[in-house]
Amino acid sequence: MALSFRKMRVGDVPAVFEVRLSTVENAVTADELEHTYGVTPRSLAEAMRFHVEGWVCEHDGAVVGFAMGDRSSGEVLVVAVRPEHEGRGIGGELLTRVEDRLFAAGRDEIWLRVTPDPTLRASGFYREARLAGEWRADGRRRGDEAAEAARLSWRG
């Protein structure tokens, strides 16, 4: 069966948590999501009511990838794909959908956190993404995190 993409619904929250917890690179546990980032199924469902939107990719009716963005801050929050479905263009398509939505919400610039470590696949993924512009790391850090901010400006 072909891949299908659609807007994320609150009912998808358990499935997107399963996808996020399945990732190998930048792996995270449910405990880390809750205690480090303040993200729980309940908090995500609540955020989706107000300012967070996402898209999922399904294969044979199962969610195999997702991405989310925060309209209030312009941040691309996450792009995650099950390891067995990587390399099929899913992450790029999901990122494009989030970028498009954030720009459509009136943002002139959107941003995300990315590791500056060029040996990690995620770093290259964002640096190679070319959509409305080009993601550029700005060197800013959040607290003591190793990740830096990357920004994409609208060039319509």
Side-chain angles (χ1 to χ4, degrees), residues 35-56:
H35 294 102
T36 303
Y37 301 101
V39 178
T40 64
R42 185 177 183 173
S43 72
L44 176 54
E46 183 67 13
M48 288 175 66
R49 292 183 56 220
F50 298 103
H51 55 93
V52 171
E53 285 186 87
W55 282 260
V56 298

Side-chain angles (χ1 to χ4, degrees), residues 111 113-117 127 137-149 151:
W111 66 282
R113 289 184 191 92
V114 63
T115 178
D117 183 348
R127 292 188 199 295
D138 65 10
R140 295 183 201 169
R141 307 253 190 233
R142 179 181 156 224
D144 59 359
E145 285 186 12
E148 63 187 1
R151 300 190 180 277

Side-chain angles (χ1 to χ4, degrees), residues 7-102:
K7 192 164 180 183
M8 194 170 118
R9 300 182 291 255
V10 171
D12 295 317
V13 169
V16 301
F17 265 77
E18 286 180 25
V19 170
R20 181 62 186 96
L21 297 175
S22 77
T23 59
V24 177
E25 190 171 284
N26 193 24
V28 67
T29 66
D31 189 57
E32 289 172 314
L33 282 174
E34 180 176 359
H35 294 102
T36 303
Y37 301 101
V39 178
T40 64
R42 185 177 183 173
S43 72
L44 176 54
E46 183 67 13
M48 288 175 66
R49 292 183 56 220
F50 298 103
H51 55 93
V52 171
E53 285 186 87
W55 282 260
V56 298
C57 174
E58 293 180 313
H59 181 257
D60 291 336
V63 174
V64 298
F66 75 101
M68 295 184 305
D70 185 330
R71 290 186 317 276
S72 67
S73 68
E75 181 181 7
V76 175
L77 298 169
V78 62
V79 177
V81 177
R82 285 193 176 276
E84 62 272 20
H85 291 276
E86 291 174 356
R88 299 174 66 188
I90 295 169
E93 176 64 25
L94 291 166
L95 177 60
T96 298
R97 289 169 186 253
V98 171
E99 290 174 342
D100 289 348
R101 179 60 187 116
L102 293 175

Side-chain angles (χ1 to χ4, degrees), residues 103 107-110 132-135 151-156:
F103 285 128
R107 292 273 167 194
D108 291 328
E109 182 178 78
I110 60 176
E134 184 176 329
W135 285 104
R151 300 190 180 277
L152 178 64
S153 297
W154 174 249
R155 295 180 187 167

